Amino acid sequence: MMSVEITNPWTGQVDYRYDYMGSAEVERLLAKSGDAFPAWSASTLEQRGEILKRIALVMRSKKDMIANIMSAEMGKLNREALAEIEKSASACEYYAEHAIDYLRDSNIKTEATRSYVTYEPLGCVFAIMPWNFPVWQVFRFLAPGLMAGNVALLKHATNVPRCADIIAEVLEEAGVPDGVFGVLHIDNVMAENVIGDPRVHAITLTGSERAGRSVAATAGKHLKKCVLELGGSDPFVVLDDADLDKTIPVAVSSRFGNAGQTCIAAKRFIVTEKIADKFIEKFVEAAGKLKVGDPDQADTTLAPMVRADLRDELHKQVQASIHAGAKPLIGCEPGQGASHYPASILDNVVPGMPAYSEELFGPVASIIRVKNEDEAVRVANDTLFGLGASVWTQDKQRGENIARRIKAGATFVNSQVRSDVRLPFGGTKSSGFGRELAEHGIHEFMNIKTVYVE
């Protein structure tokens, strides 16, 4: 069995070691999942809703412990961790309240005596989740999935095993029946076997484009539904009439929150030339005030990156962009701490540079200057990705018109791109397919069944 070491992102010290599960343990959990599905899917929405409400209560009671685990395993700021836990608890309560409406039979008028659509759970959903939001990413699929009557198996990222285990503990304490949720500490080879197992009925993955292609190919081979939320290179479009007093704080939050390790982080700042110099001056000033430090300390405002190798990979992208002509304005050199990278901004980013065409998964902002809004839209769409986007202008109608022209799963006008349990979340192009959250998310892993009565 392979042993995995978990290194604290701030100290660089190995905090924890664990072993991957063997095939016998994986088989046991698959069997338990299959055994649990009939009774769980036969329970009422009211019964499942009460359990989800208890999950929220238990999670809040353990929030400090969970937040400490998140900070130790992936370096998240303590206040960001606490906010993530609250968001996850609220998602459980949201679906406990709204699933009845989302899953009610839909009557459709035809020539039949009665015709309608009903929603049935598929079975076991296998989730492959990333480290950057180690609690929220799980509950984004789990809250609607459990309310739908599905059971779930989780393969979490290898560097957040205790986050996975504490989620399992929370569910057990809340009264989730044995087998309804299980954690698989496995490698990618074993994960491929699980996808192909007949007791698994659907797959959801949040991760890289490369991982998405691999999982989609395996799921397709076995004719299984999958939802993929992959990378992003979100445009942050600043038009010449933007209110910079409102725009700048959100620009900083959008790019540097979670140390920039967010799929929907603003990454490409597309700024019209009339306002570019003023925007950049204020952006650099605000970013320069971010304080690096221990994520557990209240005055730290920029967390370390999750791993030193990912920091080094980011720095190579930055160096290549500078070598190609990008101008470093702040940061752009590795900083203190085991895996820290400072708030960094590159100006004069143009096509051909990694900072233009690749996802920079860390605290580096790319400034792309454009002549007008038409060029801004063209540049915003000049990417393989299509996850989120934002537009900044004092003319709301102008912003809405541009939002409709940008190819993305979500475009926000004068607001930071974020996931919201009330709104569908997902991408287009190489950012994946399918939707999570809202009514759309709960329907993804259900059999949408037509019943026709003559």
Side-chain angles (χ1 to χ4, degrees), residues 339-357:
S339 58
H340 173 65
Y341 205 83
S344 303
I345 300 174
L346 292 170
D347 192 10
N348 299 328
V349 172
V350 297
M353 299 177 181
Y356 183 94
S357 59

Side-chain angles (χ1 to χ4, degrees), residues 381-395:
N381 290 330
D382 188 21
T383 175
L384 295 173
F385 299 105
L387 192 54
S390 63
V391 180
W392 297 84
T393 171
Q394 294 187 64
D395 184 337

